[in-house]
């Protein structure tokens, strides 16, 4: 389901126009970008789980062909941690 | 950093932001949630632009072990949710560390350690100590003007045990003298012991030290004396203040490499050595990089010795008292371990010898058995040869009795023979009962030719060309005529990538994967 399908489905359910829904979605997403930009570590994502910032350590990698060794710097990545209920629901799904 | 935000607080903030009522916002969020869930469960994929993509990832069922009971259990296949943030959000999150760049590490660090395996890790420090002993011997003989002692100086012999203990006594007896000889000696010895190229200063002080020793008639029993020095270097607890910074780093390095257990640690130790002052320019650069990273990244804390090499030498100095003690203990461990290895090795050789003799007696039986095997083999080979070389065989009509072939089949085979040099591979006994797998594979159509370069992997080629790395045996089979060992293909070899029937390399069909795994087990012995 891509963003467009998501918005049209939402507008159908809420009885709002596509434009209104798009505006709400934008605000919703901007709230995350702003808060993460301000240094939040963890924000709830609906009641499906949390979006959290994880710290990836620096590491040494070796190019298998040239054998050059490189030091990859540490970085912060955004990860999604599903809530227990979502995890269980998804876990018990049969293979698509 | 910030406190945990609950979803209610988040919703309230969002309501303030949009100017809608809390009720409207709750409704919106509820619907959004149910739509996202619906998308996930139906499509396995939801994209929210600006935020990222949620995706369901299928995890194959696998065998595992119950950690409490040790029973084998099967973990059923299941889905997991993965989230990939959009590039914009990803960059915002990584903003604090965005200025860091990949640093290319200098290539001239000693590589020995990374190539050593297993027991060699133990021999590494031993080798080092032996070298040090050699160096000390040279210095002594220079001073005395002649060869001093003949006994072997391999410090790790069982015979040396006695020497070491007596040396310890000696050290005890000469406690007072040692004190008068003072701290300078210990430091100097440590320096020589760690063999860092700290240069002229060391040589000078070594001379001075041995000069004083000559005065007190200590050098006559150099063999033992020498060991005493070594032992003291190993066991003397140097307080951190007494030791220069560079020196302490060196000792830390030494003890690290003794305590080595994995390659990464070894290489980390080697890195330390490089930073210890061998090449000033490089170490400065390293320390700089390390400092930058560590200031941002320090809360990782005990992220393992792997990273330590990249923090500044200062930290090494701080941790020296511990590592010296550690070294003392690991020294004992190394001695014990070497003795144990020697004992085991001799035991194994003894047993193996005996076994050889025993098996020598029953050799004839073994020969008979292998003879049977040889008798059976040609039959199997005939099967395959008969299929590919039927052109010849059909003409001569001297088909092996065990290969009943209809004329049609031989014709077909002959055609194949004409079209290409068919490389046929006998089928591997399989439990999968799909006709496709039971039929023997014939490789005559090729999609591409790949040249093996350094670092190439059959599995990788299979992943690129056939869609899954488990299909590598097919590439191997197609090139069996010119590669013998799939794990060791020489650089420059040209491999043909076969075109396979799609039902054989169907990545979504678990049977295909299973069969390819069987082939993998068959070939990767």
């Amino acid at each position: 389901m891509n963003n467009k399908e998501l918005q049209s489905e939402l507008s159908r359910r809420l009885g709002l126009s596509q434009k209104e829904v798009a505006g709400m979605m934008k605000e919703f997403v901007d709230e995350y970008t702003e808060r993460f930009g301000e240094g939040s570590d963890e924000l709830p994502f609906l009641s499906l789980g949390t979006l959290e910032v994880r710290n990836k350590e620096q590491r040494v990698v070796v190019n298998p062909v040239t054998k050059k060794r490189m030091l990859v710097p540490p970085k912060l990545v955004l990860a999604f941690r599903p809530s227990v209920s979502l995890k269980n629901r998804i876990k018990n799904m049969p293979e698509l | 950093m910030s406190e945990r935000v609950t979803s209610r607080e988040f919703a309230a903030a969002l309501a303030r932001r949009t100017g809608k009522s809390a009720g409207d916002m709750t409704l919106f969020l509820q619907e959004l949630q149910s739509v996202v869930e619906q998308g996930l469960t139906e499509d396995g994929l939801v994209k929210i632009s600006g935020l990222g993509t949620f995706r369901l990832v299928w995890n194959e069922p696998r065998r595992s072990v119950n950690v409490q009971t040790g029973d084998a259990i099967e973990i059923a296949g299941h889905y997991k949710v993965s989230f990939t943030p959009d590039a914009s959000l990803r960059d915002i999150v990584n903003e604090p560390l965005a200025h860091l760049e990949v640093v290319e590490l200098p290539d001239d660090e000693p590589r020995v350690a990374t190539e050593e395996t297993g027991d060699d890790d133990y021999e590494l420090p031993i080798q080092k100590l032996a070298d040090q002993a050699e160096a000390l011997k040279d210095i002594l003989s220079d001073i005395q003007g002649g060869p001093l002692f003949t006994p072997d100086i391999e410090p790790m012999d069982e015979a040396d045990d006695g020497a070491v203990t007596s040396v310890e006594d000696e050290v005890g007896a000469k406690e007072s003298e040692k004190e008068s000889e003072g701290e300078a000696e210990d430091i100097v010895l440590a320096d020589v012991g760690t063999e860092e190229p700290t240069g002229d200063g060391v040589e000078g002080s070594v001379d001075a030290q041995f000069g004083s020793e000559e005065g007190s008639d200590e050098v006559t029993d150099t063999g033992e004396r020498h060991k005493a020095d070594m032992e003291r270097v190993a066991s003397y607890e140097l307080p951190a203040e007494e030791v220069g910074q560079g020196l302490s780093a060196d000792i830390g390095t030494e003890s690290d490499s003794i305590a080595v257990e994995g390659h990464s640690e070894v290489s980390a130790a080697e890195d330390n050595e490089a930073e210890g002052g061998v090449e000033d320019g490089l170490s400065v650069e390293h320390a700089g990089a390390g400092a930058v990273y560590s200031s941002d990244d320090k809360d990782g804390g005990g992220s393992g010795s792997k990273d330590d090499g990249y923090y500044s030498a200062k930290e090494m100095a701080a941790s020296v008292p511990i590592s010296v003690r550690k070294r003392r203990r690991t020294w004992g461990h190394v001695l014990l371990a070497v003795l144990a290895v020697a004992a085991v090795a001799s035991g194994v050789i003894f047993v193996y010898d005996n076994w050889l003799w025993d098996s020598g007696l029953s050799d004839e039986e073994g020969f008979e058995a292998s003879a049977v095997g040889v008798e059976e083999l040609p039959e199997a080979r005939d099967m395959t040869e008969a299929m590919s070389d039927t052109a010849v065989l059909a003409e001569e009509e001297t088909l092996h009795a065990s290969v009943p072939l209809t004329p049609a089949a031989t014709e077909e085979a002959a055609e194949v023979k004409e079209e290409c040099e068919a490389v046929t591979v006998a089928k591997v006994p399989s439990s999968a009962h799909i006709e496709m797998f039971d039929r023997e594979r014939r490789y005559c159509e090729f999609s591409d030719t790949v040249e093996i370069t350094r670092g190439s992997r059959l599995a990788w080629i299979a992943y690129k060309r056939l869609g899954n790395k488990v299909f590598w045996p097919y590439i191997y089979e197609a090139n069996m005529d010119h590669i013998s060992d799939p794990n060791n293909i020489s650089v420059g070899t040209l491999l043909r990538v076969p075109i396979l029937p799609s039902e054989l390399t169907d990545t979504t069909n678990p049977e295909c994967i299973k069969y390819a795994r069987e082939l993998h087990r068959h070939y990767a012995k």
Side-chain angles (χ1 to χ4, degrees):
Chain A
M1 181 182 273
N2 60 29
N3 200 52
K4 212 170 172 185
E5 290 165 344
L6 181 90
Q7 283 182 6
S8 62
E9 177 69 18
L10 260 181
S11 73
R12 193 183 59 79
R13 290 194 187 197
L14 291 166
L16 297 171
S17 73
Q18 293 260 8
K19 206 174 174 186
E20 279 172 306
V21 171
M24 301 256 290
M25 283 301 295
K26 187 177 178 299
E27 296 296 334
F28 175 72
V29 169
D30 283 354
E31 182 75 17
Y32 282 105
T33 40
E34 259 172 47
R35 285 190 181 229
F36 280 123
E38 285 160 10
S40 286
D41 270 346
E42 197 178 318
L43 290 175
F45 180 73
L46 308 170
S47 358
L48 298 175
T50 49
L51 291 172
E52 60 181 18
V53 176
R54 285 188 196 154
N55 194 354
K56 297 283 174 204
E57 294 284 342
Q58 61 178 355
R59 65 194 201 280
V60 175
V61 296
V62 181
N63 182 329
V65 175
T66 63
K67 306 285 180 208
K68 279 246 184 266
R69 302 164 77 240
M70 319 248 246
L71 183 64
V72 176
K75 63 182 169 194
L76 302 170
V77 296
L78 193 61
F80 174 67
R81 198 174 62 208
S83 66
V84 176
S85 66
L86 176 69
K87 235 196 274 188
N88 286 337
R89 253 173 294 160
I90 290 215
K91 213 173 179 175
N92 296 327
M93 261 171 61
E95 196 175 356
L96 287 177
Chain B
M1 277 185 266
S2 58
E3 280 177 31
R4 208 188 147 118
V5 184
T6 64
S7 51
R8 186 167 303 175
E9 283 164 10
F10 190 81
L14 204 56
R16 271 200 305 280
R17 186 191 172 94
T18 52
K20 302 226 177 215
S21 72
D24 280 354
M25 195 38 83
T26 317
L27 191 67
F28 170 75
L29 290 179
Q30 272 174 2
E31 287 302 326
L32 178 60
Q33 177 178 334
S34 81
V35 173
V36 168
E37 267 195 76
Q38 183 196 331
L40 265 186
T41 47
E42 283 173 12
D43 300 353
L45 177 90
V46 176
K47 275 187 180 170
I48 301 177
S49 72
L51 198 67
T53 309
F54 295 87
R55 197 179 264 116
L56 286 189
V57 181
W58 176 250
N59 286 28
E60 291 288 339
R62 63 190 163 93
R63 279 189 290 280
S64 183
V65 172
N66 184 334
V67 281
Q68 253 123 42
T69 61
D71 299 338
I73 48 172
E74 171 106 344
I75 296 177
H78 58 272
Y79 279 106
K80 276 189 173 174
V81 189
S82 90
F83 170 68
T84 318
D86 266 14
S88 57
L89 187 56
R90 186 190 63 202
D91 291 345
I92 287 169
V93 166
N94 195 40
E95 190 93 64
L97 300 183
H99 61 283
L100 301 177
E101 280 172 6
V102 175
V103 184
E104 197 165 296
L105 296 178
D107 204 30
D108 46 4
E109 285 151 56
R111 275 295 173 73
V112 195
T114 52
E115 273 146 30
E116 303 281 355
T117 49
D119 290 344
D120 294 351
D121 285 348
Y122 281 105
E123 275 159 33
L124 212 80
I126 294 167
Q127 183 59 44
K128 219 173 228 171
L129 288 174
D131 291 344
Q132 293 155 13
E134 202 74 52
L136 267 179
K137 192 180 88 175
D138 289 347
I139 294 169
L140 283 176
S141 61
D142 279 354
I143 295 164
Q144 294 268 308
L148 282 168
F149 48 85
T150 43
D152 58 335
I153 50 146
E154 286 155 37
M156 277 301 132
D157 254 328
E158 281 102 303
D160 281 339
D161 262 2
V164 170
T165 45
S166 71
V167 160
E168 267 174 332
D169 292 343
E170 195 193 332
V171 170
K174 288 169 187 162
E175 199 64 36
S176 55
E177 279 174 25
K178 196 171 88 183
E179 278 195 30
S180 69
E181 274 169 36
E183 299 143 22
E185 182 196 341
D186 285 318
I187 294 171
V188 168
L189 278 171
D191 233 344
V192 173
T194 47
E195 263 199 334
E196 283 297 320
T198 31
D200 307 331
V202 177
E203 294 246 338
S205 44
V206 166
D207 282 350
Q209 169 222 331
F210 284 113
S212 75
E213 276 190 2
E214 262 182 297
S216 55
D217 283 328
E218 288 284 315
V219 203
T220 38
D221 49 347
T222 22
E224 301 230 312
R225 179 74 207 162
H226 175 74
K227 295 240 170 58
D229 293 342
M230 298 298 294
E231 181 67 15
R232 221 181 303 161
V233 173
S235 65
Y236 193 65
E237 288 206 20
L238 295 159
E241 315 88 58
E242 261 183 48
V243 190
Q245 195 165 298
L247 168 60
S248 58
D250 295 346
I251 291 176
T253 308
E254 265 287 293
S255 67
D256 266 2
S257 63
I258 287 178
V260 156
E261 276 173 12
H263 301 311
S264 58
E265 262 177 273
V266 180
S267 59
E270 299 288 356
D271 289 339
N272 288 349
E273 256 174 80
E275 279 188 25
V278 186
E279 288 158 320
D280 281 348
L282 288 178
S283 65
V284 165
E285 192 187 299
H286 264 211
V292 172
Y293 291 175
S294 57
S295 65
D296 285 321
D297 196 29
K298 224 31 225 158
D299 47 339
S303 58
S305 50
K306 194 175 71 179
D307 291 346
D308 288 349
Y310 303 96
Y311 299 133
S312 59
K314 247 183 240 171
E315 276 175 53
M316 291 304 297
S319 67
V320 157
I322 301 162
S323 52
V324 170
R325 243 172 280 138
K326 195 167 136 201
R327 181 196 169 137
R328 189 185 191 179
R329 242 185 300 141
T330 47
W331 178 252
H333 287 175
V334 169
L335 258 177
L336 274 177
V338 168
L339 284 179
V341 167
V344 169
S346 56
V348 165
I349 291 170
F350 182 70
V351 170
Y352 186 66
D353 254 2
N354 278 358
W355 178 77
L356 266 188
W357 276 108
D358 290 348
S359 65
L361 292 176
S362 60
D363 222 335
E364 284 172 30
E365 276 179 30
F367 184 74
E368 267 178 13
S370 66
V372 172
V374 168
E375 268 180 5
E376 278 173 1
L377 259 178
E379 225 174 346
R381 209 179 297 143
D382 278 357
M383 292 275 275
T384 56
E385 275 178 11
M387 291 302 275
S388 57
D389 296 348
T390 30
V392 184
L393 289 174
E395 279 175 28
E396 296 179 3
E397 292 193 348
T398 56
L399 280 175
H400 196 284
S402 68
V403 193
L405 280 173
T406 61
T410 53
E411 252 182 52
E412 193 184 273
E415 269 174 38
V416 169
K417 170 79 178 175
E418 275 168 23
E419 273 170 25
C420 64
E421 282 183 42
V423 185
T424 52
V425 179
K427 68 188 172 90
V428 177
S430 79
S431 57
H433 292 298
I434 291 187
E435 193 199 352
M436 197 62 219
F437 301 144
D438 289 340
R439 213 183 298 156
E440 54 192 57
R441 288 176 291 285
R442 200 168 288 147
Y443 297 98
C444 27
E445 286 178 79
F446 300 99
S447 60
D448 202 0
T449 318
V450 182
E451 186 180 349
I452 293 289
T453 55
R454 193 160 289 285
S456 291
R457 302 274 181 282
L458 275 183
W460 181 247
I461 298 168
Y463 175 70
K464 283 286 179 193
R465 310 294 170 128
L466 302 178
N468 195 321
K469 61 185 178 174
V470 299
F471 295 141
W472 71 265
Y474 301 132
I475 298 181
Y476 172 56
E477 283 178 351
N479 295 278
M480 248 175 171
D481 49 342
H482 58 278
I483 52 177
S484 52
D485 180 5
N487 279 323
N488 190 9
I489 307 171
S490 51
V491 172
T493 311
L494 290 174
L495 294 187
R496 292 165 302 183
V497 181
I499 295 174
L500 292 163
S502 57
E503 57 265 41
L504 194 64
T505 54
D506 183 3
T507 46
T508 57
N509 185 351
E511 287 293 327
C512 288
I513 307 279
K514 200 175 153 197
Y515 183 68
R517 290 230 167 90
E518 256 170 56
L519 286 176
H520 167 87
R521 274 192 288 278
H522 178 74
Y523 288 123
K525 273 162 239 158

